[in-house]
Structure formats: structure tokens, C-alpha cells
């Protein structure tokens, strides 16, 4: 068979297929009020991902995948794992490096998103792959996954952090299309010699490292993340929405830490901080395609009449509202300090209004153009961007315009 | 089909092929007069390139290629791009990471060169791949390419430099063989927070980082490069020559720079510096092969009777003269400073007399041996290498002998 | 054919096959007496190896292989080389990056070892691949290899170190099974601007960088390594043992070094230090398999009745004794300094008692569990771990328990 690249099979259930994806992005991120002294805003281009790898099946119910990202002059990782899924059994087990089941956007391929980057929650709450072991259960339209995970693939020797990740999805056919409902729960314990965590999000593109929302390092032992998902696919129309709540387990008094833990660092807050993010989107394939979906996540959309068949390919438009709140009052302080640590986390809020246009001349080639208006309130840049205001820093508002395009090829 | 590695095809125009090349070099670079205190001259060996990747065709006129260089303990890049070339149309478009059309040597495969490294101009004028978009036009023996490019693939966020690159080639059959005539033009604008550039060349091998010609960082906004090419293939004989002129747009007074530009750095010169390089070579395949050429660049030479057919493979000899001039008087100064900044750029000149012997036992395996005599005049090492002279530093001469061998396998 | 992944062949002798291996390890290394203040002992997990590459044959007697290790966020190397082995001739030549023939454990695939890591001698005496050229001679059950090597694949320009490596193996069928007898000799000359070497070993796993045995940098010009090997395979039983002696050529008075050599560094010792390591192991495949062996090294064991055939796969147990001695008295000193430099090298000794359990549900999947008791005498940690003792530091004893598991998939 041929799926963008040749897929090889052999008797007994063997399968082997190369995988790859290249994404080149160009974007312009506005410098709010021209007040941030940096060359890292404005125009930039980059290879967002250059993925290469392989996947296959082995007789006896084993599926594996190993894929690397060579985009930034180094080695990054997509899924590197193998799974044991015995034929006819609803139960499976998997080992290696993969996502701890953190929600619809996070668990879907970066080649199949409706916008250039995933929703802010993935970036802000640091949903990333980890080394772990997990079990899965699938029965009809219901699927449940849960696993225990250590840290990322890295060269460090002090990885004693761990997490539990789980997700429940129900995706029946209904209302003349398909409905997706999901819930996720994650519990994370941070590394004992680095008891802190940083919540922050880029402005809807990855061509800059300037973030308008950022809590800085928060002294904490761990956190819990609760998420809900809902989506629907009705012919060329799709709608989707997710919400996630983070409850941090902060360290109010780092001076009480001893031994390895005492080197932790991070800003101490007087109470546990809560953060929140949600988005809602709708999209239409003007050329009549149906958004790809399978096994609880978005998939590549198949083009109805591509260039190779004399057509013009698939054209789609999408709109999204995406909100992130990294501000939280964790204690009541005296007036002078009430909007700063240890009483207030001023990570800021960021609201995105996104519109994207997608063109897939054929199944494996995709061009995207996206405009985003980001509205920021407070956060680490508010004092510099809005210097004259008498409002407390966490209440100062400003906006940024972001234009971005992507060229993508995958197989 | 099989081309060193299997080439897979499928109905409709699908194609997929692995690519790879390994080059192991050993070389000895003389330490002139024994006066340079370094362990980086003398003998060294290295994996020059260890390339791996894939290329393919997709129905509808799309060709793609992605190849990485893993030779130095990190990730480097060869072409990572896809092209839309509709069947029957002379026009094509390409996106991704590729060479901005800088001349015959630069645009030819590193596996098909007649000497271990490309001519000095590629190294000295920093002809390297960039992220960009380009168009092509091919009509018979005429081909034209032009594109706009940003920066290299890297992890930086301040890439606002850009360049325009273009090349015109005419390659008709003539005089009982084939003639190649070409012209190139590049315009480069440097990064606004790094308004400088360094022109320099290694001594004809890459096993040392000691350069005898080097301008250091020159404060400049950009440059223009003009090039001409001529070559001919007549049976087992080939001749080739290229010349390139660089016109820099220097910054005479960096103190006038403001904002992001003010961090630029680099030595200021009182006028625009001009640099130049050219080479001429001739080669003979003693065993009767014809040097590979296609689409405006050199290709791998096919062996007439290889090891696999009981023969001895292909044996060729090549001679090259290669001149680089990185010296320039940009202003008339007082006697005391007339040979130094801001009046004189003492990058030095380097003249190479090269002889190489190539043995290809079969198409995909190649051994090379090369002797080079390099004559240097001036440049950053002249004062140390020739300490006793009363001549101005830019006029002091010395020479270096370089021996090098390569073992290469590719597919 | 299919060997975990598809193997492609074509007329004339072409062959091409992808290669890969992923190993995920989790281990817990005890902190002796709780006295070492580090987060790098205790629990850790890591991707030990994530290998990817290709191998093939080319008509005319050429075999090649190129494989990379992407496990630690960078690029590492397995074999990257090509070989000329004319059909019917006992002589072969090879070029590139490969092991300099250092013994049975070192020359065997990391996917086919009986314990999670190779015996200590590989780690302690730094048996690693190098760029080189070698010849081989095979006649019946006898094989001999020897080569000259430069340094590792790296980005450095000062690699003037070199080594000679050789190995002789005789492996006849005998005693109702197969006998393996081998001898190795290596001579190494260190880099002229780094005339020193460090001998050290991790505690039987690679999930920590804490080493209990370590000589530190020893000022030396080079060393010689002598090794002997013996093994036997008798149905499901195998036994194996190796011993290696290192003779260092130390620099007693670094002040006499001049020029590039004078920057050498390392602790000076008054005489040439000798180090030693040996191990002995026995293993049984409870399910009746025979340990894989071919061409002088261990190979993957073929499972008799795997998951894919309704069986339970292969289960084996192994026991090993592994001893390393990095202590040496090199001169007779006054009492006060007799157990320290320049008279005594206190690298310590480490004795391992290892037991492993292997389960291969099918040929290409393997799970391992291992318990190790390590007994250490002296070495760089003895003073901290056993602070109260009145014994000389090199005679202080302590022990560590190490638990480790591995999940492996390869093709």
C-alpha cells in the first residue's frame, strides 16, 4: 500500500512504514506599543518541525513507532514507543515515550490542527511527552487510557519527578454526525531538586520566545490538572471546545525544605495558585471534506478532488476563541503588596481571536494562513508595555496582532 | 528500480527513495614555518559528512527531499524542501531549505566534486542553504531560478536578515560535447542586531579550523555577489571555471546606529570593501568515463566497468588553480595606518594549486587523494608566520602543503 | 525477506535493510550509607538507546552500515562504515567508524547482552568506536582482525591520538556444542595536547553518573591492553569469561613536557600503573533456546515459540561475577603519602554479583530485570561514604544494591 510513502507488509501481520513531516513557518508578531527592546519580535521564519521516523506492526499484537524532530539543529522526539494490543482483547499496554493523555488538541497530530499552533493550554500547562508505561481499554465508542510517567527523554540523572495521566473518551455517532466527549486528569510531582514549575504561553506562534503571559518559576511540589472536552463533526462542519483547570501545590515557605529539596528555587506564594484555560472553535471545509477523526483524536483530512485528479484540493476556514488565565490571588495582603508575591500570581491573561485559512492541494501538502488578535491583561510585560498607567500592573491591557503562514508536507 | 538503494514507485506518480552519503577524510595541513602554536594543524581525520534522508514524488507534480547531516555529533541539513513542478509547464515553485542559486560548484552535489572541497568562493563568501521560497523556469537548454530567503535553520528568534538569489544557466550541446554558461546574482541584507559579516576560507580541507585568509567581522549592512560560470564536457575531458565578485555595503561609522542595530559589532571600515575569487580546472577520466552533468550542475559519474563487472572502476585526474582575494584598500590613510582598518582590509589572498586522483571502483564508492600547495599573501596570520620581515603585513608571503584523502560511500 | 523490518534485495547482489533499536531503562541505585549528597542516585529512567539506520550490500563485495543513536537529545553513533569483502577471498578491508576489536562483550550487539550493561571492562577501559581502517582474515573457524584508528567522530580539529587494535578468535564446534577462544591486543597513544586518560566505571547501570571507581585523569602518553576470552554454548546453557590487563605509560614529570604537550594535565604518578578486570558468567534459556552466536560475537537469540505462535516466548536466567581493579601501587613512598599520588592510584575496586531474568515474547521484543550487589573497596568516594574508619582510604569497604529493568524493541 502507499500512504504518502510506501507501506510494506508481510505474512503473519508484519508492517513497516516511513513517517515524516516538514513544516516551515513565517510569522510577524507585533511589538506592543513598540516598548519591548528585542529583536525577537517582528518577522521571523523557521522550520517548525522536520520529523522523520518509522512505524510498524509485529506479529503477536505489537505496534511500534519511533519518530524524531530534527528541526532546531538538535534531536527532538515525537512518539518513541511500542504497544502490546492482543487481537480481540479490549486491553492494551504501551511502553516508551508518548503523551500522558492530556486532551483532544494535545493528543492530535500537529499535522492535523486547524490553527498553526495547538490551543494555549498545551503550551501554558506544559503538556509534553514523557517516558512511561500505560494501559488502555477500548470498548466500542468508549476508550480509557492511564499511565505512570517519569520525565522527558534527556541526558539528566536526577529525574525523580513523576506523573499520573488519564483520559476517558466517548465518541458515538449521533445527531447525523459524530460527537466527542472527553475528560482528563493528571497529577504531577516535580523533581525533588527542582521543586518549582513555570506556566507560560507564547503568543499563538512559535517564531518568537517573547511571552506576554508567564508566571515565572513558582515554588511548588506538584499540581493537578482537570480537563473536559467536547466536539462534533457534521459533514464539512466541525465544532470543538476544551477547558482545563490547574491546581498547584505551592511551597509557601521554602526555608523549611532540607537536603536535596533545599536547592529548589522559584518564587514562594502564600497559597495554592489556580490557573485556567479554555477555547472554542468552529471550522468549515468549503470544498465539502469532513475533518479527519479517529480513536479519540483529530486526523489528517482526506481531500475530495486534489491536484493529482485535476481538482483544486481542499479549502477550509476556521475561527477560534482561546482564553488563558495565569493570574491568581492566593492570599489577602496589605495594600502595598496585594498585587505581587506572595499574595498574587501575576502571570497575566491572554485572549486570542484567531482566524485561519487552510489549503490542501492534495492529502499530504498543506498551506495555512492565520491572523490572530491577542489581548493581554497584566503579566510580566504589562509594566513595560503600558508604563504610564496608574492601574495595578496585573490590570493593564494591551493587544498584539500576529500574522503567520505555514507550508507543510508530510507522509 | 535500484539506485544504490531501492527506489519505490506506485501508480499515479508516487516515488520514494532513501538517500545517504558517508565521507571520511584524513588530511595533514602544514604549520607554516612552525610558527602557529596550535594542535589544530597537522594530521586529523573526521567524518566530513554522514548524510541520511529521503526523497520522493507525489502525484500532481510535487517533488520533495529531506536529508540530514549527522557528521559532527549534531544535526545539520542538506536540502529539506518540496517543489511544485506541474507536468508540461516550464514554471515551478519550491519551498523550504535549499541553496540560493550561488554557482556551479555550490549547486553541485558534494559527492560529485573533483576535489575534496568545493572551490574557495563557496567557503569564503558563505554560500549556504537558507529557508526560502523560489520560482524556476526551464525551457530547453535554458534555466532560470530566483528566490527570496530568510536565514538558516536554527533555533534563533531574531532572524530578520534576508537575501535574494538568482541564477541563469544555458547548457547546449556544442563543439562535439556540452557547453555550460551561467551567471548568478545575490543580494544579502544582514541581521539588524548583527550588522556584520566575516569572509574567510579554510586551506582547501575541512580538517582544520585554522584559516590563513580571514577578514574578521566587518561592520556592514549587506553585500552583493556577482558570478559567472563556464564549463565544457568533451568525452572524458572536462574544463570548468567560475569567478565571483563581492561588493560589501560597509558601515563606516557604527556610532550612528541606534536601537536594535546599535549592538551590531564588527570592525568599521571607511569605504565599501570588494572581494574576489576565481578558479579554473581541467579533468580527465583515464578510463573513459564522462563527467556527470544534468540540470545545470555536476552529477555523479557513472563507472564504465566496475568491480561488480570484473573491471577496475573509473580512474580520473584533475588539476585546479583557485585564487581568493580578501584584501582591499577602501580609503587612503596616513602612512602609519594605511595597511590597517579603517583604510585597508587585510583578509589576505590565498592561491591554491591542486591535483587530485579519483578512483571509483563502482558507481557508489569513491576514493580520493589530493595534494594542494597553498600560497598566502598577508592575512591575519602573516605577522606571526613571517615575523622578521620589514614588508607591510598584507604583503608578506608564505606557503603551506596539504595532503588529503577521502573514502566515500553513497546511495 | 523480513527480519523485523523489510529487507530489500535486487539482482546482482544488492541488499538494503533499515535497522533500529529502542531501549528504555528504569533503575534504582542505592546511596551508600546515605552519605553522597546528590540527586543523581536513587530512581531514574532513561532511553538508553534509540538507534536508527540502514545497512546494505553493493555488487562487487561491498557491505555497509550506518546507524545513529538519538537517545540523549543529541546524535551518537553505532557502526558507520563500509567493507570490501571480495567473494571467495579470506581477506577483507573496512573503512569508517567501528570498534577496534576489543573483546567478546564489546564486539557484541547491545541488544544481545545477558545483562543490562556490558561487563565493566568495556566501560572502565573506554572501549569505544573510532574512525579507522582495518583488515580482516577469515579461514574456517579462525578469524583475525587488525586496524589503525584515529579518534571518535567529533567536531574537534586536534585529533592526533591514534591506536592499533587487533583480535584473534577461534570458534570450533566441540564438546557437543561450540567453543569460543579469543585474544586481543590494543595499543593507544593519547592526544598530544591532552596527554592523560581517565579509567572509571559506572555501577552496572547507566542511569546514574556517580561512579564509585575512578582514577581521575592520569597523566600518560598511552597504554596497552591485553585481553583473553573464552566461552562455550551447549544447547540452552552458555558460559563466558574474559580478562583484560591495562598497562599505562604514565608521565612521571609533566614539567618536562614542552610545546603543545605542555598543556596536558592529569595527575602525575611516579610509575606506570596497571589495571585489571575480569568476569565470568553462566546462563540458561529455561525455554530451551540456544544463545545466538556468529562470527566471533553474540547475536540475538531466536525464540522457539513466541507470542505470534501462541507460545510464551523465551525465558532465561543469567548469573555473573564481575571484578574491576583500578588500584595500583606504582612507587614506594613515605608513610604519610604512601596511599596517594604520586605513589598510589586509588581508583578503587568494584566487584559485582549480578543476576538477570530475560523474557523475549518474540524475537524482536525483550524485557530484562536485573539485581546487582556491588562491593567497592577504596576509590574516590570511600572517604565520604565511610568517614569514621581508621583504615587507609583505599582499603575502606562498602556495598550498594542496584535494581534495574529494561524494555527493548529492535529490528
Amino acid at each position: 500500500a502507499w500512504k504518502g510513502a510506501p507501506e510494506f507488509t508481510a505474512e503473519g501481520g508484519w508492517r513497516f512504514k516511513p513517517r515524516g513531516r516538514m513544516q516551515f513557518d513565517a510569522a510577524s508578531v507585533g511589538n506592543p506599543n513598540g516598548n519591548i527592546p528585542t529583536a525577537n519580535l517582528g518577522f521571523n521564519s523557521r522550520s517548525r518541525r522536520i520529523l522523520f521516523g518509522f512505524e510498524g506492526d509485529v506479529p503477536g499484537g505489537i505496534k511500534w513507532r519511533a519518530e524524531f524532530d530534527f528541526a532546531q539543529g538538535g534531536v527532538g522526539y515525537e512518539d518513541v514507543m511500542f504497544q502490546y494490543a492482543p487481537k480481540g482483547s479490549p486491553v492494551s499496554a504501551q511502553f516508551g515515550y508518548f503523551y500522558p493523555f492530556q486532551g483532544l488538541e494535545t493528543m492530535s497530530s500537529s499535522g492535523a490542527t486547524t490553527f498553526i499552533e495547538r490551543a494555549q493550554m498545551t503550551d501554558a500547562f506544559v503538556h509534553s511527552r514523557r517516558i512511561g508505561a500505560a494501559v488502555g481499554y477500548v470498548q466500542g465508542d468508549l476508550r480509557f487510557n492511564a499511565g505512570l510517567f517519569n520525565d522527558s527523554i534527556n541526558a539528566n540523572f536526577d529525574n525523580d519527578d513523576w506523573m499520573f495521566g488519564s483520559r476517558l473518551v466517548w465518541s458515538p455517532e449521533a445527531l447525523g454526525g459524530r460527537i466527542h466527549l472527553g475528560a482528563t486528569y493528571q497529577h504531577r510531582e516535580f523533581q525533588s531538586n527542582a521543586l518549582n514549575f513555570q506556566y507560560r504561553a507564547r503568543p499563538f506562534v512559535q517564531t518568537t520566545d517573547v511571552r506576554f503571559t508567564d508566571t515565572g518559576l513558582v515554588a511548588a511540589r506538584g499540581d493537578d490538572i482537570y480537563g473536559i472536552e467536547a466536539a462534533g463533526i457534521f459533514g464539512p462542519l466541525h465544532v470543538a471546545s476544551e477547558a482545563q483547570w490547574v491546581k498547584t501545590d505551592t511551597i509557601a515557605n521554602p526555608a523549611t525544605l532540607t537536603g536535596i529539596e533545599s536547592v529548589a528555587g522559584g518564587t514562594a506564594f502564600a497559597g495554592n495558585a489556580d490557573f485556567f484555560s479554555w477555547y472554542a472553535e468552529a471550522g468549515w471545509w468549503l470544498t465539502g471534506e469532513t475533518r479527519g477523526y479517529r480513536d479519540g483524536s483529530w486526523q489528517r483530512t482526506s481531500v475530495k478532488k486534489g491536484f493529482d485528479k485535476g481538482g483544486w484540493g481542499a479549502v477550509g476556514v476556521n475561527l477560534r476563541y482561546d482564553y488563558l488565565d495565569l493570574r491568581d490571588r492566593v492570599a489577602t495582603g496589605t495594600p502595598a503588596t496585594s498585587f505581587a508575591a506572595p499574595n498574587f500570581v501575576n502571570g497575566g491573561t491572554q485572549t486570542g481571536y484567531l482566524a485561519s485559512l487552510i489549503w490542501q492541494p492534495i492529502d499530504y501538502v498543506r498551506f495555512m494562513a492565520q491572523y490572530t488578535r491577542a489581548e493581554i491583561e497584566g503579566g510580566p510585560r504589562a509594566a513595560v508595555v503600558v508604563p504610564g498607567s496608574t492601574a495595578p500592573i496585573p490590570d493593564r491591557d494591551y493587544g498584539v496582532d500576529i500574522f503567520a503562514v505555514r507550508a507543510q508536507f508530510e507522509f
Side-chain angles (χ1 to χ4, degrees), chain A:
Chain A
W2 199 284
K3 298 181 177 173
E7 182 178 54
F8 305 99
T9 52
E11 211 176 340
W14 289 104
R15 192 178 69 89
F16 186 86
K17 184 186 165 292
R19 296 172 56 87
R21 182 179 305 142
M22 54 177 102
Q23 296 176 332
F24 288 95
D25 290 1
S28 179
V29 181
N31 190 329
N33 301 342
N35 279 347
I36 302 179
T38 178
N40 291 4
L41 290 170
F43 178 80
N44 190 20
S45 75
R46 59 168 28 200
S47 58
R48 178 63 178 93
R49 290 181 181 87
I50 310 178
L51 309 185
F52 260 98
F54 297 90
E55 62 177 30
D57 298 342
V58 177
I62 286 155
K63 294 174 178 300
W64 63 274
R65 180 182 292 185
E67 195 170 19
F68 307 97
D69 184 359
F70 298 123
Q72 312 300 333
V75 178
Y77 305 90
E78 301 281 304
D79 287 346
V80 182
M81 54 105 165
F82 61 101
Q83 186 189 40
Y84 174 54
K87 213 175 173 177
S89 164
V91 179
S92 63
Q94 70 190 71
F95 305 88
Y97 192 62
F98 49 95
Y99 275 116
F101 315 114
Q102 298 115 327
L104 179 57
E105 279 274 292
T106 303
M107 301 304 292
S108 295
S109 164
S110 67
T113 52
T114 37
F115 297 88
I116 283 179
E117 296 299 332
R118 292 188 177 101
Q120 290 184 88
M121 57 183 67
T122 296
D123 190 16
F125 302 154
V126 194
H127 292 328
S128 55
R129 289 178 178 87
R130 295 195 177 206
I131 296 177
V135 293
Y137 178 88
V138 180
Q139 193 74 287
D141 294 324
L142 196 74
R143 50 195 315 128
F144 178 71
N145 291 278
L148 281 170
F149 300 83
N150 190 196
D151 203 322
S152 304
I153 292 182
N154 58 44
N156 303 336
F157 296 103
D158 54 1
N159 300 324
D160 64 355
D161 52 324
W162 62 272
M163 72 174 286
F164 168 79
S166 62
R167 185 176 180 231
L168 179 70
V169 169
W170 185 52
S171 53
E173 293 186 13
L175 308 173
R178 185 172 294 279
I179 296 290
H180 168 104
L181 295 172
T184 56
Y185 169 65
Q186 272 77 34
H187 174 75
R188 301 191 288 202
E189 293 280 335
F190 306 148
Q191 204 168 296
S192 59
N193 64 341
L195 288 174
N196 58 64
F197 207 74
Q198 188 165 17
Y199 303 88
R200 56 182 184 169
R202 284 197 168 96
F204 304 96
V205 291
Q206 299 259 339
T207 59
T208 180
D209 64 345
V210 175
R211 294 166 179 92
F212 305 114
T213 50
D214 188 344
T215 63
L217 290 176
V218 175
R221 291 199 164 274
D223 63 12
D224 291 277
I225 310 177
Y226 306 86
I228 53 172
E229 320 165 12
I233 312 164
F234 308 100
L237 170 74
H238 88 273
V239 291
S241 182
E242 291 185 78
Q244 293 192 353
W245 293 262
V246 176
K247 306 245 167 208
T248 64
D249 176 15
T250 57
I251 297 168
N253 188 359
T256 60
L257 299 174
T258 59
I260 293 299
E261 294 191 344
S262 64
V263 302
T267 303
F269 288 94
N272 292 333
D274 294 351
F275 305 123
F276 171 66
S277 185
W278 85 286
Y279 74 88
E281 72 171 72
W284 297 263
W285 282 110
L286 304 177
T287 41
E289 282 78 8
T290 298
R291 189 175 185 191
Y293 174 93
R294 196 180 63 245
D295 296 349
S297 61
W298 300 115
Q299 308 288 335
R300 182 167 48 229
T301 295
S302 293
V303 177
K304 280 199 155 176
K305 193 173 182 190
F307 257 45
D308 52 325
K309 294 170 185 155
W312 278 101
V315 176
V317 292
N318 302 278
L319 296 172
R320 178 184 280 180
Y321 170 88
D322 189 346
Y323 176 76
L324 170 67
D325 182 1
L326 293 181
R327 292 189 307 187
D328 195 33
R329 171 166 302 285
V330 295
T332 317
T334 59
T337 60
S338 62
F339 283 101
N343 301 312
F344 192 90
V345 184
N346 177 29
T349 72
Q350 184 168 262
T351 310
Y353 303 90
L354 298 86
S356 75
L357 178 68
I358 300 178
W359 175 40
Q360 284 184 208
I362 61 162
D363 274 14
Y364 304 96
V365 175
R366 178 185 257 213
F367 297 94
M368 296 176 83
Q370 176 177 314
Y371 165 71
T372 308
R373 174 65 184 182
E375 298 283 350
I376 296 100
E377 188 168 332
R381 308 280 181 175
V384 166
V385 173
V386 191
S389 170
T390 56
I393 290 170
D395 286 343
R396 298 186 194 175
D397 298 323
Y398 59 95
V400 178
D401 293 304
I402 304 124
F403 298 89
V405 293
R406 165 171 293 176
Q408 172 178 306
F409 172 73
E410 67 177 345
F411 58 82

